[in-house]
Amino acid sequence: SLAGSPVTLKILQNWVPRVSHYFDKEHYTYVGHQIVIQESIEHFGAVVWPGALALSQYLESNQEQFNLKDKKVLEIGAGTGLLSIVACILGAHVTATDLPEVLENLSYNISRNTENLNMHKPEVRKLVWGEGLNEDFPVSTYHYDFILATDVVYHHGALDPLLATMVYFCKPGTVLLWANKFRFSTDYEFLEKVCNIFNTTILAEFPESNVKLLKATVREN
């Protein structure tokens, strides 16, 4: 079941008009920094989706409630890296993960936008949902304060492994922040599963974009 009443927000146009003539670059401003994102047309994970904008904006506006400074943050399905870059600017130790074919563009965006910052250096790693978690991210070594996930639920066949991945990384004390566009019944079915497993609150809704932003924590007995 869901707790709390969400705030209703609008995704602000935080991107700056394009100066470059290349179709594949987007310019954003968050937390006083200009961020340049290179998109790629070959992969789903290589376009900036609205959930990433929604959560980036929310973290920027709610730094007291969700203070990322010196926190360990894992992003699953990091895509182009925008949200991980914002988390890095906010002072987190960030590990951005995605599928192997997305990592080159992800690494490029993250390094180019964080190289001159006096922040913790972000890490980019391969993570295929539900695969090799114990080997690649053993519980004894890896504990995250925040798990970030945006636009990870759409028409794909990996919803069960995605849920298993959320469950794996959400330990007592971990906060999962998940922003997603809700369009299909499968999206709502996934939400229902999340609510059945975790303590879940809708923090914000962005009705114009059909985006909901949820906070989930482990149920402690």
Side-chain angles (χ1 to χ4, degrees):
S1 64
L2 289 162
S5 48
V7 290
T8 302
L9 298 170
K10 191 176 169 174
I11 294 180
L12 304 170
Q13 301 289 317
N14 269 27
W15 53 98
V16 207
R18 285 167 198 213
V19 232
S20 66
H21 299 290
Y22 300 104
F23 71 95
D24 64 340
K25 297 263 196 304
E26 292 281 5
H27 299 250
Y28 301 88
T29 313
Y30 287 101
V31 206
H33 291 262
Q34 175 144 337
I35 300 169
V36 182
I37 295 293
Q38 172 172 288
E39 299 190 331
S40 138
I41 47 176
E42 293 93 68
H43 303 296
F44 247 178
V47 178
V48 176
W49 296 93
L53 301 175
L55 186 46
S56 294
Q57 177 180 318
Y58 193 85
L59 289 173
E60 175 183 42
S61 314
N62 294 275
Q63 294 176 47
E64 282 170 22
Q65 188 186 357
F66 297 106
N67 179 4
L68 299 192
K69 193 164 168 38
D70 301 327
K71 299 291 195 300
K72 290 195 166 52
V73 172
L74 174 73
E75 184 177 8
I76 57 174
T80 55
L82 175 67
L83 178 58
S84 278
I85 293 161
V86 171
C88 186
I89 292 169
L90 290 168
H93 290 274
V94 176
T95 303
T97 67
D98 212 315
L99 298 169
E101 59 268 27
V102 179
L103 292 187
E104 192 183 349
N105 192 53
L106 174 59
S107 301
Y108 173 78
N109 283 331
I110 287 187
S111 60
R112 98 175 252 185
N113 285 285
T114 60
E115 59 193 356
N116 299 322
L117 298 180
N118 186 19
M119 318 275 175
H120 304 296
K121 199 168 163 41
E123 198 185 348
V124 175
R125 291 187 58 179
K126 175 190 84 143
L127 194 164
V128 181
W129 296 335
E131 288 181 24
L133 299 177
N134 293 313
E135 293 77 31
D136 296 341
F137 297 89
V139 178
S140 51
T141 322
Y142 294 94
H143 183 280
Y144 295 97
D145 300 298
F146 291 92
I147 309 299
L148 307 181
T150 64
D151 302 302
V152 286
V153 175
Y154 49 91
H155 275 318
H156 61 71
L159 290 175
D160 289 342
L162 170 61
L163 189 60
T165 302
M166 289 175 165
V167 169
Y168 179 82
F169 286 111
C170 258
K171 302 286 181 254
T174 302
V175 172
L176 166 66
L177 295 174
W178 166 43
N180 216 92
K181 210 173 164 85
F182 282 82
R183 289 163 292 186
F184 309 112
S185 59
T186 44
D187 301 343
Y188 287 98
E189 284 159 21
F190 188 89
L191 172 59
E192 200 174 323
K193 286 179 182 173
V194 167
C195 293
N196 288 337
I197 295 172
F198 300 105
N199 289 327
T200 312
T201 311
I202 301 188
L203 296 175
E205 294 191 281
F206 300 77
E208 288 175 28
S209 318
N210 294 324
V211 169
K212 297 182 197 301
L213 168 53
L214 296 107
K215 170 191 169 187
T217 54
V218 152
R219 289 206 179 123
E220 305 205 35
N221 298 335

